[in-house]
Amino acid sequence: MITVLQIISVVLLLQLLFAVWNAAQLPKLGGGPGQGDSELHRVPAASAVRRLSVLIPARNEADNIADCLSSVLACSSSGREVEVRVLDDSSTDGTGAIAAAILGDRASVLQGRELPEGWLGKSHACAQLAEAAEGDWLLFLDADVRLQPLALEAALSSAEAQAGGMVTGFPRQVTGSWLERLVVPLMVFTIICHLPVPLVRGSRDPRFVAAHGGFILIHRDTYTRCGGHESIRGELVDDMALARAVKLAGEPVTLADITGHASMRMYHNAREVWNGYRKNIFAGIGRNPVLLLAVLTMYLSLYMLPVAAVLYYCMTGQPSSAVMPAVAVLAGIAIKRTSDAAGRQPVWFCLLLPAGILCLSLIAVASWRGGRSRGGYEWKGRRYL
């Protein structure tokens, strides 16, 4: 057991070095000081944006749509043209009426068409928005995203610098309930720990990709070349599928740090966290149970076993034997703090890593069971298999 814990400690220390380096590679939306920022400025032929289309699919978002639209409308754009379009995707809570009241005569609210067979709801809503949009760049936003006043200027700068392809990023996550705090920040944790950020932009391999559907900026021509949302109409994890489609079309994808410009609260209680992650985890790894088992085994070994060992050795009067697993625990906490810093999360969240890994593992098992059952998953009143 001591040998195993020594190996885990070495692995985690190496992982910490990688995480610190990897987090520093994230370019900031719109550019600015930082090691990774040159990534957004390597395309020599910058292209002026004629019009930016901000596209917001909304289904039963009465609690979110007003604040989202207010934040968008408060953004400056340095005189460049911005259109805002909302699609009311068969909401039953008055989302469309609220959006119409906020937008007034500045834009119209589209009424979503009936969901065709073979399509999933969000992809169908986004496809309709793209069809109606007139911009040469499309910015897909979730209704729970809140933009800072300079967010659209930063997006426009990144669009002009990159000249094509896709720019995406993870908004700063706002959390309230305990399951949100335990699980939601682990999105950025997995990216910082395992995905070499420079390869998202630097490699054509679609396996090196990450995206967040809450903020996807994509050139109109790129959207057309990759097939848009129609090409991924049946994918549960639509954001990752669209990013892979962009790469397969030979277009660049940039994963940027957008936490200074966008924030969101994805879920508002433990039930929403459970159902949201349950829907996505198994599909996100290609519905591969062997890969899921390997990932869970790795995570539990790296982040739970050392904690159990420290408790065991301390409770059995062997404090000297607890030193090596304690090193592993501290290394894991340091890795989590590195990813939390990248996501602008509170410092103390790093202490929640073991409990977060345990909760995520339980949700992953439930996701696997949902993928194997005929019941599938339910989200926002729709059932997905």
Side-chain angles (χ1 to χ4, degrees), residues 10 15 60 71 100 106 120 132 162 171 176 180 184 201 236 246 268 279 297 312 322 325 333 342 345 354 358:
V10 171
Q15 181 74 78
N60 292 334
S71 74
R106 288 170 287 190
L120 297 188
Q162 185 158 301
E180 290 173 73
V184 172
R201 174 67 183 273
L236 265 178
V246 169
H268 289 79
K279 173 176 68 75
T297 300
Y312 172 78
I333 290 173
Q345 296 298 312
L358 179 60

Side-chain angles (χ1 to χ4, degrees), residues 24-243:
Q25 306 310 304
L26 275 173
K28 294 186 184 301
L29 187 72
Q35 182 178 353
D37 296 333
S38 61
E39 288 293 330
L40 287 181
H41 299 281
R42 288 182 181 172
V43 179
S47 175
V49 176
R50 180 181 60 85
R51 176 183 291 180
L52 173 67
S53 296
V54 180
L55 309 175
I56 306 171
R59 177 176 171 84
N60 292 334
E61 296 285 1
D63 293 335
N64 282 314
I65 194 64
D67 288 342
C68 176
L69 286 173
S70 295
S71 74
V72 171
L73 295 174
C75 286
S76 59
S77 60
S78 297
R80 288 168 287 189
E81 189 173 354
V82 175
E83 68 167 355
V84 181
R85 294 185 183 271
V86 176
L87 184 131
D88 181 10
D89 187 16
S90 303
S91 298
T92 58
D93 63 353
T95 294
I98 297 171
I102 295 291
L103 291 173
D105 57 2
R106 288 170 287 190
S108 61
V109 177
L110 307 177
Q111 294 301 315
R113 299 190 290 267
E114 185 177 350
L115 186 65
E117 185 177 355
W119 281 80
L120 297 188
K122 185 177 179 181
S123 290
H124 187 233
C126 289
Q128 294 173 79
L129 283 164
E131 179 184 323
E134 298 178 0
D136 46 336
W137 279 86
L138 314 176
L139 175 58
F140 292 99
L141 286 182
D142 281 355
D144 45 12
V145 169
R146 309 289 182 263
L147 298 183
Q148 293 298 309
L150 297 179
L152 294 186
E153 283 195 31
L156 287 162
S157 296
S158 294
E160 291 175 344
Q162 185 158 301
M166 172 193 286
V167 179
T168 184
F170 289 72
R172 181 179 64 84
Q173 298 297 317
V174 178
T175 58
S177 68
W178 275 104
L179 197 58
E180 290 173 73
R181 295 173 182 140
L182 290 170
V183 173
V184 172
L186 292 177
M187 288 189 303
V188 176
F189 176 82
T190 57
I191 299 300
I192 296 301
C193 284
H194 306 302
L195 177 67
V197 169
L199 293 183
V200 176
R201 174 67 183 273
S203 169
R204 290 180 177 269
D205 191 330
R207 290 174 297 181
F208 294 111
V209 74
H212 194 293
F215 190 102
I216 290 182
L217 177 65
I218 185 169
H219 195 278
R220 162 75 71 180
D221 293 342
T222 299
Y223 187 80
T224 301
R225 289 190 193 107
C226 76
H229 284 88
E230 183 176 4
S231 68
I232 60 160
R233 56 188 177 274
E235 296 285 345
L236 265 178
V237 190
D238 53 277
D239 45 11
M240 291 287 287
L242 185 62

Side-chain angles (χ1 to χ4, degrees), residues 263-320:
S263 62
M264 70 186 304
R265 186 174 182 184
M266 294 176 60
Y267 309 109
H268 289 79
N269 54 57
R271 180 183 179 86
E272 289 184 3
V273 175
W274 184 277
N275 288 336
Y277 275 81
R278 179 176 177 268
K279 173 176 68 75
N280 290 333
I281 290 178
F282 192 49
I285 61 168
R287 296 179 180 267
N288 186 331
V290 176
L291 179 58
L292 178 64
L293 178 62
V295 171
L296 292 183
T297 300
M298 178 185 70
Y299 269 36
L300 291 172
S301 298
L302 290 176
Y303 302 112
M304 292 297 297
L305 182 59
V307 174
V310 169
L311 293 175
Y312 172 78
Y313 287 130
C314 289
M315 292 174 64
T316 57
Q318 305 176 66
S320 60

